[in-house]
Amino acid sequence: MEMIKNIFCVGRNFKAHAKELNNPVPTSPFLFSKPTHAIVEASGQVVNLPSDQGTIHYETELVLYIGKTYEKGMTVDEIVDCMAIGLDLTLRDVQNTLKEKRYPWLLAKGFPNSAILSKFIDFPGEKVCKETNFSLLKNEEKVQEGNIRNLIFDLQTLIDFCGNHFGLGKGDIIFTGTPENVGPLVNGDHLTLLWGDNVLGEVKVKIE
């Protein structure tokens, strides 16, 4: 696993996903963060998740790893060193309550093991990424599939937004957004993260 510093997550970056949760489609990038304690590598092990905080949803995403300090004018291919497929796990009932109160989402997004990451692979360039789908299998059935071609805000926009508003440096990662068909996890689910036809990570969830 690469050294990771800051975890930036982009919300509602696929129109179909925003609509399935009855959320407005954003007009500028919408970000939240997770603590580094949320990170766990998907290396075939059992991952413990909370059983007393309501439904946990999976959200599969392409994750960028920043390889150098951001400077204005840098392209995606210049600053991104490698990539992974990740799961932004969400306590959906908790999140809905927080939304109603107009509170930040940290309680719903930042719990331990809520940022599951596959192994990192070399970033092949934005063009190649648009030619390859990422997906999630749950118990060997494909439940989510996406392609960065369908992002509302493309990778360059995300890099510039994060770099200008927060700064970006080596070790930072960006969860770029999830496509539609997010759904609940139950105890014993086996999850497989794919880049094209290549398996990059697997975990089994324990919720009890």
Side-chain angles (χ1 to χ4, degrees):
M1 176 69 72
E2 301 285 342
M3 177 190 67
I4 294 175
K5 291 185 177 179
N6 296 300
I7 307 170
F8 300 108
C9 304
V10 184
R12 305 173 187 172
N13 204 18
F14 283 81
K15 288 183 180 178
H17 171 59
K19 291 179 179 178
E20 76 177 343
L21 296 184
N22 297 314
N23 291 319
V25 176
T27 56
S28 65
F30 172 75
L31 272 74
F32 57 92
S33 64
K34 291 176 181 272
T36 53
H37 298 292
I39 295 169
V40 60
E41 184 176 4
S43 56
Q45 79 279 35
V46 173
V47 172
N48 293 302
L49 299 175
S51 61
D52 59 350
Q53 298 184 60
T55 304
I56 302 172
H57 275 198
Y58 53 80
E59 300 187 11
T60 314
E61 314 195 12
L62 181 75
V63 181
L64 305 178
Y65 183 89
I66 304 303
K68 60 182 69 172
T69 301
Y70 174 81
E71 296 179 7
K72 286 188 177 182
M74 277 186 169
T75 66
V76 173
D77 292 351
E78 288 175 326
I79 194 170
V80 176
D81 185 39
C82 49
M83 54 163 278
I85 308 302
L87 292 174
D88 162 25
L89 299 187
T90 304
L91 294 170
R92 191 67 72 199
D93 299 330
V94 174
Q95 186 189 39
N96 289 337
T97 299
L98 294 171
K99 285 180 181 178
E100 290 173 1
K101 296 180 179 179
R102 297 186 177 182
Y103 286 178
W105 293 358
L106 185 58
L107 283 174
K109 294 285 194 177
F111 58 96
N113 298 337
S114 64
I116 297 176
L117 291 170
S118 75
K119 67 180 180 181
F120 283 91
I121 61 173
D122 290 340
F123 183 65
E126 187 171 13
K127 182 178 179 181
V128 173
C129 284
K130 290 180 178 179
E131 299 169 353
T132 308
N133 292 346
F134 60 90
S135 58
L136 171 68
L137 304 184
K138 186 175 75 164
N139 304 321
E140 301 185 0
E141 176 187 355
K142 186 178 290 186
V143 291
Q144 262 195 301
E145 184 170 43
N147 190 296
I148 64 165
R149 290 193 309 266
N150 299 317
L151 293 176
I152 298 172
F153 305 106
D154 64 14
L155 300 187
Q156 188 64 57
T157 300
L158 299 181
I159 292 292
D160 290 334
F161 187 89
C162 290
N164 289 326
H165 286 276
F166 313 115
L168 281 174
K170 182 176 176 59
D172 293 343
I173 63 173
I174 303 173
F175 280 73
T176 58
T178 192
E180 67 274 19
N181 297 321
V182 302
L185 295 173
V186 298
N187 186 49
D189 277 342
H190 181 261
L191 306 177
T192 307
L193 299 166
L194 290 97
W195 174 240
D197 294 326
N198 298 317
V199 174
L200 297 188
E202 300 180 70
V203 295
K204 184 176 181 179
V205 299
K206 183 177 181 181
I207 309 173
E208 60 180 25

